[in-house]
Amino acid sequence: MTASLEQLRRCHFAVDLGAARTRVYVKGAGLVVDQPSVAAVNTRTGALIAVGEFAEKMTGRTPDYIRVVRPVTGGTVVDIEMAQRMLRQLIGDRTRRALRRRPRLRAAACTPHDADPLAQRAAIETLVGLGARRVELVDTLIAAAVGCGLPVERPEATMIMVCGAAATQVAVLSLGSIVRAERIPVGGEAVDAAIVQHLRHQHELMLPSQSVRPLQLALEGNGLTPEGPKVTEIHGRDVATGLARSVKVDTAAVRRAIQTPLTAVLDGIGKVLRDCPPDLVADLADRGIMMVGGSALLPGLDQMLRQATGMPVHIAEQPELCAVEGLGAMLEGRIAPLVLDPLGA
């Protein structure tokens, strides 16, 4: 964690800029924004037409002069100006005016593990454009662990897996710090791409951009296991004719297509465990892995990890909100630092 708990207590609001969704926590008010990280722009005038859920619904349905953009990719701001304009609209004038009245406005932001200096600078510049005089950066792994209630400050191992849209981060934590961590460039978007490619190659079917998630949910609770449904009907467009067509898809083949990108996630978990001290790995045998992030809800993913690692796997109560709730807990002062002063006791 870059910032200390004392520095975070002085912050007035926190932002979790994710590739899929943007969340804003205001001190004393709680979570005020939870919207997709999408903006629609008129390319003729440069005007911002829509942000959030409405802009996401416009994806693939706009005329030529309207462009739907995502200013955040892989947890990194790639278009600072557009990210600032999107955040201003999402926060709203009333909340923004209330924040600007604070003397020396401070903000906190999540950054992916081992984010390079350019990515950190982009996050800082985005919030400075909203009026923040100082920006504190927090590792997403630490914020998510705090948000899901893991005892990160204790001298015992806890393992967390942040399943994001663009990447998956795995770490072992102890004494409030990251002992070993790995960032794997495979997330929910890679799983979506695997399903789209499978249907295109095997069934010559193109899916609308909004149809991949419903397909994953159609796999039910045992989606990645053989206990799932045998066949699922999918509606799309024929590659050759361009006409609407429905096909019945063998879900076992879809499961195999999904498991291909998830192999990299299993390799990342194995690397983290191999690099950990043996005492911490022994702690993890009982506690297992805590899954957070929106992609943690992929049907059957926890069962697949449980079978592959032999460790208990748990999903947080609200996995998609853990990072921003962890930031909020640190802003509100609900997290007490561990006092290491045995001789003074």
Side-chain angles (χ1 to χ4, degrees), residues 161 163 220-225 258-259 262 265-266 269 288-292 295-316 319:
M161 178 175 166
C163 307
E220 301 296 339
N222 299 318
L224 295 182
T225 62
I258 291 176
Q259 285 177 342
L262 293 179
V265 176
L266 295 175
I269 293 174
I289 305 171
M290 178 65 76
M291 294 174 60
V292 302
S295 297
L297 298 174
L298 183 66
L301 177 58
D302 56 332
Q303 296 185 34
M304 192 197 76
L305 292 176
R306 197 175 294 118
Q307 292 171 3
T309 62
M311 297 166 57
V313 178
H314 314 282
I315 300 178

Side-chain angles (χ1 to χ4, degrees), residues 49-280:
I49 297 174
V51 295
E53 290 181 357
F54 187 42
E56 189 175 49
K57 291 178 181 177
M58 297 169 66
T59 304
R61 304 172 185 269
T62 60
D64 293 339
Y65 66 91
I66 296 178
R67 186 165 58 99
V68 179
V69 297
R70 291 183 176 271
V72 185
T73 301
T76 301
V77 179
V78 294
D79 188 338
I80 295 175
E81 181 185 357
M82 187 56 64
Q84 290 173 349
R85 295 174 68 185
M86 180 186 73
L87 275 172
R88 288 192 193 102
Q89 290 297 319
L90 289 175
I91 292 174
D93 293 338
R94 182 177 178 182
T95 303
R96 201 164 71 249
R97 284 196 298 268
L99 288 173
R100 282 187 176 276
R101 286 197 291 267
R102 305 284 181 93
R104 292 194 59 82
L105 183 64
R106 290 172 177 250
C110 282
T111 55
H113 179 68
D114 284 346
D116 58 72
L118 285 177
Q120 295 180 4
R121 189 66 190 171
I124 292 171
E125 289 293 333
T126 300
L127 297 189
V128 167
L130 294 177
R133 301 288 296 274
R134 184 182 175 92
V135 179
E136 308 291 354
L137 299 180
V138 182
D139 196 304
T140 303
L141 291 164
I142 297 290
V146 171
C148 65
L150 291 178
V152 293
E153 74 282 355
R154 296 180 187 173
E156 53 192 39
T158 53
M159 191 169 191
I160 187 165
M161 178 175 166
V162 180
C163 307
T168 300
Q169 303 174 69
V170 183
V172 174
L173 312 175
S174 181
L175 288 172
S177 299
I178 297 172
V179 180
R180 290 289 184 275
E182 191 75 16
R183 188 166 183 262
I184 306 115
V186 173
E189 292 175 355
V191 175
D192 293 348
I195 295 175
V196 169
Q197 289 298 317
H198 169 77
L199 293 176
R200 187 184 182 95
H201 293 155
Q202 299 297 323
H203 301 277
E204 297 184 349
L205 192 75
M206 289 184 64
L207 284 181
S209 58
Q210 312 265 340
S211 293
V212 177
R213 289 298 176 184
L215 171 59
Q216 292 177 2
L217 295 177
L219 298 177
E220 301 296 339
N222 299 318
L224 295 182
T225 62
E227 289 77 19
K230 303 294 182 187
V231 177
T232 300
E233 188 173 4
I234 304 299
H235 306 280
R237 190 181 74 184
D238 191 279
V239 173
T241 65
L243 300 176
R245 185 162 65 93
S246 299
V247 297
K248 290 189 175 181
V249 179
D250 180 15
T251 54
V254 175
R255 284 195 291 270
R256 287 193 293 272
I258 291 176
Q259 285 177 342
T260 300
L262 293 179
T263 303
V265 176
L266 295 175
D267 292 342
I269 293 174
K271 187 176 186 302
V272 169
L273 292 175
R274 285 194 300 272
D275 293 344
C276 263
D279 291 343
L280 293 181

